[in-house]
Every structure is written in C-alpha cells, then in structure tokens.
Amino acid sequence: MSESTLAGSCGAGFFALAGLIVAVHLAGLVVLLTTEYGPFAITLSVLAWVFVNCFLLVVLQRPGICAALALVFIVILITLSRFKFGILQLTLTFLDFLIIDRDTFSFLLSVFPRLQMQLIVAGLVAAPLLWALWRFDPFRVRRRFALTGVAATAALIAAMAVASPEQAWEPFQGVNHISNLARSGVVAVSRLASTGWIEADPPANGPLSLARDARAAGLPGIPSGEACDATAKRPHIIMLLDESSFDVTSAPGIKVPAGYTDYFKSSDGKQRTMIAESTGGPTWYTEFNVLTGLSARSFGDLKFYVTRIAAGRVTRGLPQALQRCGYKTISLYPTYGDFLSARAFQKGTGVEQFIDMADMGLNEDMQPDKFYFDQALKVFEREQPQQSPIFMFVYLTANHFPWWNVYRPDLTPNWTPLGNAAETDEYIRRQTMTANDYREFTERLKRDHPDQPFLVLRFGDHQPAISQKLIEPGIDQASLGKRLMTADPRYFSTYYAVDGINYRPDLSSALETLDAAYIPIVLQEAAGIPLDTSFAEQKSIMLRCKGTFYACRKGAEARRFNRLLIDAGMIKGL
C-alpha cells in the first residue's frame, strides 16, 4: 500500500470516527428531546448530558467512548425511571442512587425474573463495541478542559434548580426523567448538608431525660418504662391497613348505600378521624407512622424513601413494645418483602415473622380482602397453641387504584350503581366488599374462638387519588397544589376505628382526631398494655398538642422527640 493510500485511509477513518461521535451526540439529543417537555426541562437535561460527558472525559479523555457510555447511561436511566413510574407512579430521583441496597435489586429480579439474563446478554454485546471505540478513538481531551465543563454545567444545573425548585407533584407525572433527576440531586444534597437524614434538635451537652431513663429490657435500645407482666392474659391484636379508605361522604353530593358510614365507627359507636401524611399514596408513609410512632415528614424531601432509610436504623416501634409484653409479632405483607426494604424495615421495628406475597403463594399482589382475612385466620390457628398473645399487621388491597375498571364483579352480584361518576361508584363498591369481608371475619373469630379476646384496630392509610376531584369539585390545579403542599386536612383525613371481640377496649386515648403517628399509643392503651418510657413521653406530646404531632409548634415537638430517641439509641446512624 502506498503512503498516499495509507494517509487517505487514515484520513477516512479519522472522519468516520468523528462522524460516529457526532452521531452518538445527536442520538443523545434525540433521546432527550423525545422524553423531556418544555424549554426548562430540555435545557436542564442537555446540561446534564454535557455534565456526564465531561465527567467521563476527566477519567477517560477519549470523547468517543465517553459519548457512547453517556448515551448508554442516559438510556438506562430513562428505562429505569419508566419502570419505577410503572410500579410506584414516581420517576427516578437522586435518592435511588444514594440509597442502593440489595433489596432494590432483589425486588427488580422478583418482578422481572428474566432481567438478569437480559443484562448479561446486553453486557456481552456492548463490551466488544465499547472496547473497539476505546481502541481506535484517535481523539483526546485535556482533563483541565473537561474539569471546567464539569464545574460549569454543575453550577448551571444548581442555579436552575434553585431558581425553579422542583414541585412535589412533578416526579409523579412520568415525564422529564433526566431533568427531574438532575434537580432532585440538588435538592437531596442541599437537604443532607443542612439537616441530615432526619430533623432533630442538635445534641445537648449531656444526654436528655429519656436517654437517662433508658435501660435494656432484653432488647437493645428499648427503655423499660413501666413494668409489663408478659404472663398476663391479654387480647390478641390485629391491626388492619385498609387501602385508600376514607368516608367519601365528606365530599359533597356523593350518593352512598344505606348504613355506609357505620363501617367507620368503633365499637363505642363513635366515628374518629386519622390524619395521614400522604394523599393518593404512598402507603409506606402510614406504614412507617403506625409501626414506629414517628413522622415521615421528619425526613423532609427524603420521606419517599423513609422505609429504606429507616431499615435497620430505627428500632423503636410498636412491635418491639408488644414483644416486651410477651406478644408474638407477625406481618402479612401483600407484595414482595424487598419492596422499598419493607422486610428489613419491619424486622428492625420488632416484627418477628414477616410473611410476604411469595410466602402466601401469590403471584399477584391485589387480592380480595377475604383472602388476607383467611390468611390471618390460618396464622392464628398455627400460632395460638403456643399460648402467647399474637399481634398481626394485616394489609387489605382490594380498594387499590385504578377504579376505572371493575374489580371482581362476581363478588358483588347484587350491586346496583349509585348514580355517581363511574370511578366513584367503583370505589364505593370496593369499600362495600371490604365491609362485608370484615363483618364475616369478625363473626368467624367470635364463633370459632369464643374464649379468646381480640382487639382490632383498622385505619385508612390515605385517601384515594380520586378524592382530589371530589372534595372541592372544580378547584383549579394551582389551588389544589397549594392545598396538598400545606397538608390541608381535608385531603389527608381518613379514619381509624377500634373494635373488641370478646373484649372491651379502653378508648380513653382514642381522640376524635389524631395524627397517624399516635396510632401505636391508642392501640397499646386499648389493649391495656403499659406504655414504655418513649411512648409515655409521646403520649404527653399527643395530649399537649391535641392529637397533632409533626405540625405541633411548627415541628419543634417532633424534632425534640427525635433527638430523645437518637440519644436513647433507638434511632441510629441518621
């Protein structure tokens, strides 16, 4: 081959590689333009694209391989974000990478069992292509230039995020995956730098009173408080999480069946209100509230990951307190236990047996409520011969969204539409299914176990998403957003009810309205269980603040209480 031919060949290869690099950048731009909406989001996503490329250039210096890796990275992020939105109705955020644990990957593989093989095949295909780009890329970029790009784009992203803060509803729209991810990074870093994971008063010069009084009682970090006779005859306790349930008659003009509101009343005939910390979802905020007695709002912008953050770090909880009095603690969980680290979180609070969807032999996580009631009865039959009182946390799922489809019409053959909107009628029909199944469940307990006392505390974990169209019909989106951001009680009120079976519960602590974090106190006192030091302290807050917790004194009571628990060793590493 002649020198001129060789030079021409090299020149052609040079321009071909340059064209390939340009094509990769154009492909990245196309991906962003087809997934981002609005000038702000597009600009922010392009800055994120430049940031990723410059960051990789600092390490590798080769623009070809960096562009290819950036494209793969962006496509994977968008794919993961869409997957997450399909499961949780929330796009990917920075916290997904800050809190990476085994449960996250385990849950992915549970939902998509073929994912592992697909990832292996994709890696085998991509590896030689990326190696070829690395080997034959003739271009080099100075690290000083790349570092300048990293600094400049990071500053611009931060400035845009501060100038136009992410609104709470934006990650729930299922769009703008990369721009929302970039903005959430600014929010998370700012939050962690200013307050840490959880809001708490700064450490005092010496331990506060709760920490001084705390003594080991067989379980590390749990204060002994008033003595509890583990051999005393106590009622079995069933705590029911009633999915998306609230009294829909609080919305104007809603038609309901006769006797509809009776379901929301306790055994004393009174109807009580529980204030949840979410509306329309997510359930795990309330799960955190009722198991720990703490507020998810104490985690600020990080609260969506509260169970993952708390797993193994928050050991104070209702199940631990009940164990102290001899209870066997069990949770019947309706989906995979790896979901948002639910298993690790609940076991950390004292749940001894965690029975998830797989353990119940299910491959779908939405079942008629009768199924879960039957599971609870089976567990009771198995555990009851041990003579220990039993605590069971049971989830009901039949009233989970969506309500635009009719779920199991065969279970209500005599149902007649009420004349509301179709979604509202379907919502009320499912509530009627729950009420009927609950009535049958309590009747079976009375019939089959006449000599056993039972305490049942049930509550709505949050209002359904459709309530936002019902409570104030015709309200504009801006006003609705303001209501939700300020935790307007109209949109966060559900119910809680306490029933006794062969047992008369003590309802002296069951206030007419209270925050979800106080449910453990109501349940323990209804069962006649003496409160340990931490719950006794929290009861004084409940009475002083008239049933509010996080909002009392603009968060001061919750911050002080969190510090007490940190000093007592019941909140660790936060």
Side-chain angles (χ1 to χ4, degrees):
M1 182 181 293
S2 66
E3 290 186 9
S4 61
T5 303
L6 181 61
S9 175
C10 290
F14 180 90
F15 286 112
L17 284 169
L20 179 60
I21 294 171
V22 171
V24 172
H25 281 286
L26 288 175
L29 184 61
V30 169
V31 169
L32 294 177
L33 290 176
T34 54
T35 56
E36 301 283 331
Y37 298 89
F40 180 87
I42 291 172
T43 302
L44 197 56
S45 66
V46 170
L47 285 172
W49 168 260
V50 176
F51 173 85
V52 172
N53 273 272
C54 290
F55 181 83
L56 291 171
L57 283 169
V58 172
V59 180
L60 303 175
Q61 292 189 280
R62 292 169 168 81
I65 187 69
C66 291
L69 287 173
L71 179 60
V72 171
F73 183 60
I74 292 293
V75 169
I76 289 174
L77 287 179
I78 293 172
T79 302
L80 288 175
S81 186
R82 285 174 168 167
F83 162 76
K84 181 185 173 184
F85 184 79
I87 299 291
L88 300 178
Q89 300 299 297
L90 179 80
T91 54
L92 211 62
T93 72
F94 182 77
L95 267 296
D96 288 300
F97 300 95
L98 197 60
I99 312 172
I100 296 177
D101 50 36
R102 185 182 64 181
D103 286 346
T104 302
F105 294 105
S106 180
F107 178 72
L108 279 172
L109 294 177
S110 298
V111 176
F112 297 108
R114 291 180 292 181
L115 179 62
Q116 186 173 8
M117 182 56 65
Q118 292 171 348
L119 290 175
I120 292 173
V121 172
L124 292 174
V125 172
L129 295 175
L130 293 172
W131 178 86
L133 270 175
W134 169 274
R135 177 69 178 81
F136 297 107
D137 187 352
F139 304 103
R140 300 292 183 273
V141 174
R142 292 183 178 179
R143 285 195 170 92
R144 183 182 299 176
F145 180 80
L147 281 169
T148 302
V150 169
T153 51
L156 288 171
I157 290 170
M160 291 183 69
V162 171
S164 180
E166 183 181 52
Q167 299 301 308
W169 51 266
E170 288 184 279
F172 294 89
Q173 302 305 299
V175 297
N176 297 337
H177 302 277
I178 300 301
S179 58
N180 282 346
L181 178 59
R183 270 203 295 182
S184 72
V186 176
V187 170
V189 171
S190 174
R191 164 79 188 190
L192 290 172
S194 59
T195 62
W197 292 99
I198 187 172
E199 296 174 2
D201 283 350
N205 292 330
L208 300 180
S209 59
L210 181 62
R212 279 202 307 270
D213 295 341
R215 299 191 306 275
L219 294 168
I222 299 297
S224 60
E226 186 180 340
C228 187
D229 182 3
T231 64
K233 179 72 172 178
R234 301 187 187 280
H236 303 291
I237 299 174
I238 300 171
M239 188 165 69
L240 292 177
L241 187 150
D242 191 359
E243 174 64 41
S244 299
S245 194
F246 83 123
D247 182 356
V248 76
T249 62
S250 60
I254 302 297
K255 303 179 184 69
V256 297
Y260 168 83
T261 58
D262 291 344
Y263 172 73
F264 302 103
K265 296 176 182 177
S266 298
S267 56
D268 63 354
K270 293 182 180 179
Q271 188 166 338
R272 294 173 172 86
T273 298
M274 187 190 83
I275 306 297
E277 293 192 321
S278 66
T279 182
T283 294
W284 50 96
Y285 289 11
T286 310
E287 176 187 332
F288 178 79
N289 295 150
V290 300
L291 287 178
T292 66
L294 302 177
S295 171
R297 294 173 68 185
S298 290
F299 292 80
D301 299 313
L302 313 181
K303 63 182 177 292
F304 191 86
Y305 301 90
V306 63
T307 52
R308 289 177 64 187
I309 295 170
R313 299 181 180 92
V314 177
T315 58
R316 185 260 194 175
L318 172 63
Q320 291 278 27
L322 294 176
Q323 278 191 39
R324 166 178 159 264
C325 293
Y327 276 83
K328 183 80 172 177
T329 55
I330 304 166
S331 178
L332 298 180
Y333 195 69
T335 189
Y336 293 111
D338 298 323
F339 176 66
L340 291 174
S341 299
R343 179 187 289 105
F345 160 66
Q346 293 197 19
K347 281 186 170 292
T349 63
V351 171
E352 295 170 288
Q353 288 188 36
F354 184 92
I355 302 170
D356 72 354
M357 180 173 86
D359 297 324
M360 287 184 268
L362 295 175
N363 55 18
E364 292 185 11
D365 58 2
M366 187 167 172
Q367 300 292 328
D369 294 334
K370 185 179 186 303
F371 173 84
Y372 297 106
F373 286 131
D374 288 345
Q375 290 291 314
L377 289 168
K378 289 177 183 177
V379 171
F380 180 75
E381 292 288 350
R382 184 181 72 234
E383 299 294 335
Q384 197 270 335
Q386 298 181 22
Q387 301 300 314
S388 297
I390 295 167
F391 165 76
M392 272 193 284
F393 186 20
V394 182
Y395 294 70
L396 308 178
T397 65
N399 205 21
H400 199 281
F401 82 95
W403 299 279
W404 58 75
N405 67 317
V406 179
Y407 174 71
R408 295 293 302 271
D410 57 299
L411 298 178
T412 53
N414 299 319
W415 174 260
T416 301
L418 301 165
N420 304 298
E423 277 187 295
T424 306
D425 270 358
E426 172 63 10
Y427 175 77
I428 297 171
R429 185 187 73 87
R430 295 195 205 176
Q431 285 188 308
T432 303
M433 290 166 52
T434 299
N436 291 337
D437 289 346
Y438 177 67
R439 188 180 308 111
E440 179 184 336
F441 173 64
T442 55
E443 288 172 355
R444 287 180 64 182
L445 288 176
K446 290 177 186 177
R447 182 183 67 245
D448 298 343
H449 306 283
D451 59 338
Q452 294 291 326
F454 293 89
L455 172 71
V456 183
L457 189 151
R458 49 197 170 87
F459 58 88
D461 59 332
H462 54 71
Q463 289 187 15
I466 57 173
S467 72
Q468 297 172 16
K469 298 183 289 186
L470 301 177
I471 293 175
E472 293 180 281
I475 188 174
D476 62 272
Q477 286 297 311
S479 298
L480 176 60
K482 186 179 295 184
R483 301 269 202 279
L484 300 182
M485 289 296 291
T486 56
D488 188 320
R490 286 174 292 182
Y491 292 89
F492 291 82
S493 296
T494 65
Y495 82 98
Y496 78 99
V498 184
D499 296 323
I501 301 168
N502 307 321
Y503 178 75
R504 185 174 180 178
D506 176 0
L507 297 177
S508 58
S509 294
L511 304 184
E512 182 177 343
T513 300
L514 53 71
D515 284 0
Y518 292 126
I519 288 293
I521 294 172
V522 173
L523 186 145
Q524 289 180 79
E525 298 215 314
I529 295 172
L531 301 179
D532 70 22
T533 306
S534 69
F535 281 111
E537 172 65 21
Q538 192 175 12
K539 181 182 177 181
S540 69
I541 299 173
M542 181 183 80
L543 298 177
R544 185 165 61 246
C545 296
K546 297 179 173 59
T548 63
F549 184 52
Y550 180 83
C552 184
R553 295 178 55 218
K554 299 181 179 180
E557 290 283 4
R559 290 192 297 272
R560 182 186 69 85
F561 190 64
N562 289 341
R563 170 50 58 188
L564 290 174
L565 297 180
I566 291 170
D567 287 350
M570 289 180 273
I571 297 178
K572 305 172 183 178
L574 297 179

